[in-house]
Amino acid sequence: MALDTARVAETRLCANWSSSLSPTGGGRSMTKRLRTIATGFAALIASTGAGLAQDHGTHGAVALPDAASATYQPGPPNLPKGTQISMVSGDPSKPGPFVLRVKFPTHTVIAPHTHSEAETLTILSGSIYHEHGTTIDKAKGKELRAGGFVFLPKDMPHSLWTSEQPVELQVNGSGPFGLNYINPADDPSKSVQ
């Protein structure tokens, strides 16, 4: 229904647009032509908006009304035990944008690593420490609390760790996205048998 309304509005808009552009202007003044064009755009936008709202889930749009709506599952084996991940949008293993929510429990260390693409981290709750470099020096780590943000370029070595608080953070990036430990022995999946 909304799409039919959009087509009608679009047809009217096109008819009004071509009439207003004719050399004679269809006998209308410039103000009337502009008003007609503006009305046509408004009708098109209003009717298209209604159609998009109905088709919300079928065109790649994602809405997460609140934090409780995120569905978590155990993280992959290359992240520390107890990690939970929610794939909010996209797939980090495929080309294109993605959004993940990640929960790390207390006293978790993500050893120095890089990523195959740039990433952003936004702290949603709790706190986590972050440090740039190929080794961990907890004295140099910076605490990131709720609302904190980090942008990391592709291949930037860094490490993360929690202390007395768990953390929930959001990771935004583009795939294919990978995690490469500086020291392959630090990869938790290597110790899982």
Side-chain angles (χ1 to χ4, degrees):
M1 179 75 136
L3 293 177
D4 290 338
T5 305
R7 285 189 192 104
V8 169
E10 183 177 16
T11 302
R12 287 180 188 153
L13 174 63
C14 290
N16 290 335
W17 183 265
S18 65
S19 171
S20 69
L21 293 178
S22 72
T24 62
R28 295 186 234 176
S29 72
M30 181 62 99
T31 304
K32 286 183 181 178
R33 282 183 273 162
L34 291 175
R35 189 176 311 136
T36 301
I37 292 168
T39 303
F41 272 124
L44 180 62
I45 290 168
S47 61
T48 302
L52 291 177
Q54 290 175 351
D55 297 331
H56 187 74
T58 62
H59 294 289
V62 175
L64 197 64
D66 55 39
S69 300
T71 304
Y72 283 85
Q73 57 192 0
N78 68 338
L79 287 175
K81 187 175 182 173
T83 300
Q84 295 182 320
I85 292 187
S86 175
M87 291 183 52
V88 176
S89 177
D91 182 340
S93 69
K94 297 178 181 174
F98 69 86
V99 178
L100 303 174
R101 297 253 172 116
V102 183
K103 290 182 180 180
F104 293 114
T106 60
H107 306 289
T108 299
V109 174
I110 302 93
H113 62 279
T114 62
H115 297 286
S116 56
E117 296 293 334
E119 74 170 328
T120 63
L121 302 176
T122 305
I123 311 310
L124 302 175
S125 66
S127 69
I128 194 164
Y129 290 83
H130 177 266
E131 179 193 12
H132 295 286
T134 58
T135 60
I136 294 179
D137 182 351
K138 289 189 175 182
K140 292 183 180 178
K142 304 292 183 204
E143 183 179 21
L144 302 171
R145 295 177 297 281
F149 173 85
V150 174
F151 168 76
L152 296 162
K154 173 183 178 175
D155 296 325
M156 169 70 73
H158 63 285
S159 53
L160 302 160
W161 63 93
T162 59
S163 59
E164 302 301 318
Q165 289 186 55
V167 69
E168 180 179 16
L169 52 87
Q170 181 164 301
V171 179
N172 294 62
S174 289
F177 188 77
L179 184 149
N180 305 303
Y181 286 96
I182 302 298
N183 179 353
D186 289 332
D187 182 343
S189 68
K190 304 293 185 204
S191 63
V192 175
Q193 300 298 333

